Amino acid sequence: MVNLALSTFANSPETHYRRSAAVVQISDRKQSTAARNPNAKKGASVSGDSGLLQRVAAGEQAAVAACLDQFGGLVWSLARRLSPNEADAEDAVQEIFVEIWRFADRFDPSKASETTFVAMLARRRLIDRLRKHGRQPIEEEYEDHLEHAPSAEESAGLGNDVARVAQALEGMKPEQREAIRMSAWLGMSHSAIAEEMDLPLGTVKSHIRRGLIALREDLGAGETAQYRGTM
Amino acid sequence: MNTDNPTLDRLIEQVTEDPGGGLTGLDAASLDALAKDAGATSGSTFAEELELAAAAAMLATAPALSNETMPAGLRDKVLAQAAECVRPSASVTDLASRRTAEPAAAPARNGWVGGLGWAAAAAMFIALIVQPRPETVSPAAPVPVASDVRDALTQQPGTITVPWAASEFDAYAGVTGDVVWNNDEQRGYLRLAGMPANDPSVRQYQLWIVDPDRDAEPVDGGVFDVLSADAEVLIPIDAKLPVLSPAAFAITAEQPGGVVVSEGPLLLVAAT
C-alpha cells in the first residue's frame, strides 16, 4: 500500500497530474465498477441511511457516536488523501465534523444519501483548506491510483446514489469524465484541468458544467429540468 | 437554455472550485431564474444540489475510501467537540421568546453600516460601549471547556485572542467569550457563552472580519448557529478570503445562508 498522505501535495503550481491517456484507462476500468452494481438504478432508495443526521440534529448524543462510527472512516480517508500530512488531516477531520454537527438539520433525504451529504461537507472543507493554504494537490502515479480504485463492493457500499452517479459517469466521454474527476475529487481549478488535459478552458468548463448538471439529475434533483440535451 | 449563461458558469465555478465560499458575486435574480429553469426551488437549493452531485462524483471516482479507521485519539477529540456543538433542540416557544428579546435584524436594516463603512461602524460600536457595564456580564457563566483544537491554536506563535466587547443590545449584553485567530494559519475560533439561540430557518449569525488593509468591506467569516443559549459554543472561523490584518471581528444576524453585504446591526464586536 502506498501512503498517499505523505506525498499528496506540492507547494508550487508545478503539478504531476496524469495525462489523458492514463485517464482513459482509469475511466475504462471504473466503468466496470458501477456497471456490476445491481442497485445502481435511478429512483432506488438510498441504502444504509438510518436517520442518523436527523437524530444528531435533534441533539441525541447517542447518535453522535453512531454517526462517528458510520462516517468517521470515510471522512478520515478523504482528509488523509487531501491533506499534506496527518496533523493537517486531523485538524480537517475535526472541522468537518463540527460542520456535520452544525448542518445535520439541513440534510434532505430526498436529495442525496447521508453519505453524500457528509461527503459534500467534507469536500467543501477540504477544498477550502487547500485554497487557503495555497496548495495544489498532486496525484499519485497512475499505477498507484489503479491499485486504489474502488472495488464494486466498495462503490456499492457508498450508497445507491453514488452508484447511480458512477454509472452516469460511465456514459460520458472519457475526456468529460476525467475533467469531472479532477474537479470533483482533486479539487483542481478549471484552468489547471485545462492545462493538464491540454484542452481549451472553454471545453473544460463545458464538460464540467454539462456533466455536473447531468449528475444532479441522476442524483434525483431537478427531474423536470430541461438541461440535459440542450446544453 | 442559453449555454453561455454567465450566471451558470459562475455558479459551477463556485461549486467546484470554492464550494465553501458561498454564492458570492452572483446576481440573486439571475440565479433564481436559473434555478427555476432547472426545477430547483431556489438559487441556493440549486447550488447545493450541484454541490451534492460533485460530492457524489468525488465518491465515485476517488480511490477506495471506506476501509480506513480514524485514529482513536482523533475520535476522542471529535466526540469532545460534539459535546459542545450538539445540544437538544430548544423548544419553539423558547426560541420565539428569545427572538422577541433580540434586535430585529432583518426588518430593521437601515443601511447605516454600509453607509459609514465597516471600519468606521466597528469604531463607533466600540465608542458606544467605552464604559464597561460589568453588571451585564454574566457572573454565572460556566467556566469554559475549550476544545483541544482551539487550545492548540492559542499556543501557536502569532495567535491573537480578542475578547468580545459588551454589546449595546440587551439580549447580547451578557455574552462573553473571545476570538482566537492566527493569521499565518488563517484559522481561528469564536468562543461564545450566553449567546442567544437562533432559529436557523429564520436567520443565522454571520461573522465579519474587518480588515482595512485588505478592503473597506469586511471579509465574510461564515455563518453559524447557536442552538442553546445555555451552552458555550466554539465556532470555527470560515474566512472566505485571505485575511491580512484583522482590526475587528463582528457578528450580525442575517437571513439563512448569510448575505454578501450586511446592513447590520453589529450585535457583537471584538476589536484587536
Side-chain angles (χ1 to χ4, degrees):
Chain A
M1 294 285 285
V2 176
N3 185 349
L4 296 173
L6 298 179
S7 56
T8 308
F9 289 87
N11 291 320
S12 73
E14 181 182 352
T15 56
H16 304 281
Y17 292 107
R18 291 171 289 97
R19 289 287 171 187
S20 302
V23 166
V24 175
Q25 294 177 59
I26 289 175
S27 301
D28 287 344
R29 160 160 177 171
K30 287 180 65 59
Q31 280 190 6
S32 62
T33 297
R36 292 193 298 267
N37 181 3
N39 295 321
K41 180 181 174 183
K42 188 172 181 179
S45 63
V46 176
S47 64
D49 278 10
S50 52
L52 272 178
L53 293 175
Q54 290 171 330
R55 290 164 57 201
V56 168
E60 186 182 327
Q61 293 294 329
V64 169
C67 195
L68 206 46
D69 291 338
Q70 179 82 14
F71 301 115
L74 173 66
V75 171
W76 172 240
S77 294
L78 289 169
R80 275 193 64 228
R81 283 161 171 77
L82 292 175
S83 301
N85 53 55
E86 297 251 337
D88 201 76
E90 292 199 7
D91 287 347
V93 166
Q94 291 176 77
E95 289 183 7
I96 291 165
F97 271 100
V98 167
E99 299 280 286
I100 293 172
W101 309 142
R102 287 171 57 198
F103 295 120
D105 64 336
R106 296 192 186 178
F107 169 66
D108 182 348
S110 71
K111 291 183 178 174
S113 65
E114 288 186 333
T115 301
T116 298
F117 182 80
V118 167
M120 179 189 75
L121 295 178
R123 178 177 175 274
R124 186 183 291 177
R125 178 56 55 185
L126 289 167
I127 290 179
D128 196 44
R129 290 174 66 89
L130 285 174
R131 190 178 55 80
K132 283 179 184 170
H133 294 181
R135 293 187 298 241
Q136 293 290 325
I138 61 170
E139 189 160 356
E140 284 297 298
E141 294 298 321
Y142 168 56
E143 291 77 11
D144 290 332
H145 186 85
L146 277 181
E147 180 185 341
H148 291 277
S151 66
E153 292 74 19
E154 287 165 336
S155 181
L158 290 171
N160 289 343
D161 60 342
V162 176
R164 285 200 301 275
V165 165
Q167 196 169 39
L169 285 165
E170 290 175 24
M172 295 178 184
K173 293 178 182 176
E175 189 178 270
Q176 181 179 25
R177 195 159 56 219
E178 181 58 13
I180 292 172
R181 188 188 73 87
M182 286 181 167
S183 177
W185 162 233
L186 298 173
M188 291 173 66
S189 68
H190 295 181
S191 56
I193 294 171
E195 184 179 348
E196 174 57 29
M197 296 183 72
D198 200 19
L199 289 173
L201 178 59
T203 302
V204 168
K205 286 181 177 294
S206 177
H207 280 330
I208 294 174
R209 181 181 65 230
R210 294 181 183 186
L212 268 192
I213 288 173
L215 294 180
R216 167 180 171 266
E217 294 182 26
D218 286 298
L219 210 53
E223 298 285 358
T224 60
Q226 299 174 9
Y227 287 102
R228 196 193 288 277
T230 62
M231 298 189 63
Chain B
M1 174 78 195
N2 179 9
T3 58
D4 295 322
N5 187 321
T7 302
L8 179 60
D9 270 347
R10 180 75 190 103
L11 176 61
I12 295 290
E13 281 179 15
Q14 194 89 52
V15 165
T16 54
E17 297 185 9
D18 185 18
L23 302 176
T24 55
L26 286 166
D27 175 67
S30 299
L31 185 58
D32 284 341
L34 197 62
K36 187 178 179 183
D37 285 348
T41 54
S42 69
S44 59
T45 299
F46 185 40
E48 183 172 293
E49 290 169 355
L50 288 171
E51 200 180 343
L52 285 166
M58 174 183 74
L59 293 174
T61 58
L65 293 169
S66 58
N67 57 352
E68 297 190 41
T69 303
M70 183 188 293
L74 177 57
R75 178 187 163 84
D76 291 343
K77 288 179 183 176
V78 173
L79 279 174
Q81 277 185 320
E84 298 172 11
C85 300
V86 180
R87 303 280 177 181
S89 301
S91 70
V92 174
T93 52
D94 192 24
L95 286 171
S97 64
R98 284 178 184 142
R99 279 201 299 277
T100 57
E102 296 166 4
R109 287 176 179 170
N110 55 18
W112 68 274
V113 172
L116 291 174
W118 272 82
M124 282 186 64
F125 183 95
I126 298 300
L128 286 171
I129 48 87
V130 66
Q131 294 297 324
R133 296 188 293 175
E135 72 281 5
T136 63
V137 177
S138 170
V143 177
V145 182
S147 78
D148 291 343
V149 179
R150 177 186 172 281
D151 286 348
L153 187 63
T154 62
Q155 301 304 312
Q156 291 187 22
T159 296
I160 58 172
T161 302
V162 191
W164 295 111
S167 173
E168 64 178 304
F169 298 104
D170 289 345
Y172 297 86
V175 177
T176 58
D178 51 34
V179 181
V180 168
W181 176 258
N182 186 296
N183 226 38
D184 294 333
E185 295 274 334
Q186 290 289 297
R187 284 199 302 142
Y189 291 86
L190 311 181
R191 193 164 56 99
L192 295 158
M195 187 75 168
N198 65 296
D199 180 348
S201 67
V202 176
R203 63 179 182 150
Q204 289 188 287
Y205 292 118
Q206 187 163 7
L207 174 72
W208 302 94
I209 305 169
V210 181
D211 186 5
D213 288 351
R214 176 188 176 82
D215 200 327
E217 295 299 321
V219 174
D220 178 1
V223 298
F224 62 95
D225 301 315
V226 175
L227 300 179
S228 169
D230 299 330
E232 180 185 86
V233 294
L234 203 59
I235 308 293
I237 295 174
D238 184 19
K240 307 304 184 189
L241 296 169
V243 176
L244 301 180
S245 180
F249 301 84
I251 294 174
T252 62
E254 307 291 355
Q255 63 190 37
V259 295
V260 177
V261 178
S262 175
E263 296 179 351
L266 307 182
L267 304 176
L268 286 167
V269 171
T272 60

